[in-house]
């Protein structure tokens, strides 16, 4: 089965939009040691998206709970939360701020 877009996606009106933490997550997809694919997520505590006239001038600013790291494998999740990696006891918050956005057809 093939799914296609009905129309081209466009940016919403310029402005700053608050992210709803109850309806949003940060998902990641990375490789460990260049071999293993690791997928997971963090929950968002708060955040905003600033939409400019172009996507390159737009930005995202979010705060995530480090202890919310979840990859679906409890042993790995606990290790990543430990002082070997995120050290959530000393660093409970992860703050991400972009310098711009880039449009991509990937995931469309």
């Amino acid at each position: 089965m093939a799914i296609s877009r009905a129309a081209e996606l466009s940016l919403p009106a310029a402005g700053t939009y608050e992210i709803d933490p109850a309806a949003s997550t940060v998902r990641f997809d990375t490789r460990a040691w260049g071999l293993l694919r690791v997928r997971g997520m963090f929950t968002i505590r708060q955040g905003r998206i600033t939409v400019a006239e172009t996507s390159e001038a737009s930005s995202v600013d979010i705060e995530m709970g480090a202890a919310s790291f979840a990859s679906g494998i409890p042993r790995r999740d606990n290790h990543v939360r430990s002082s070997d990696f995120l050290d959530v006891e000393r660093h409970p918050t992860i703050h991400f701020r972009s310098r711009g956005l880039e449009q991509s057809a990937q995931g469309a």
Side-chain angles (χ1 to χ4, degrees):
M1 176 168 87
I3 298 173
S4 60
R5 272 191 274 179
E8 285 298 312
L9 298 174
S10 60
L11 292 173
T16 299
Y17 298 87
E18 294 297 317
I19 295 172
D20 179 2
S24 306
T25 57
V26 172
R27 297 190 182 275
F28 63 86
D29 185 356
T30 189
R31 295 217 181 259
W33 304 291
L35 302 170
L36 305 171
R37 186 175 210 162
V38 178
R39 292 180 176 158
M41 60 178 260
F42 289 93
T43 58
I44 296 175
R45 290 183 176 167
Q46 64 181 0
R48 70 195 57 72
I49 298 172
T50 301
V51 178
E53 295 302 320
T54 65
S55 58
E56 295 80 12
S58 298
S59 63
V60 175
D61 188 331
I62 56 174
E63 182 181 297
M64 300 166 276
S68 72
F69 174 87
S71 69
I73 300 174
R75 184 173 175 202
R76 175 174 52 206
D77 294 352
N78 290 332
H79 187 210
V80 170
R81 291 182 199 121
S82 77
S83 61
D84 288 344
F85 292 96
L86 296 178
D87 196 1
V88 301
E89 294 290 323
R90 291 184 39 206
H91 306 286
T93 302
I94 298 171
H95 188 189
F96 173 81
R97 182 178 302 137
S98 74
R99 294 188 179 137
L101 303 177
E102 181 179 304
Q103 285 189 341
S104 171
Q106 186 176 15

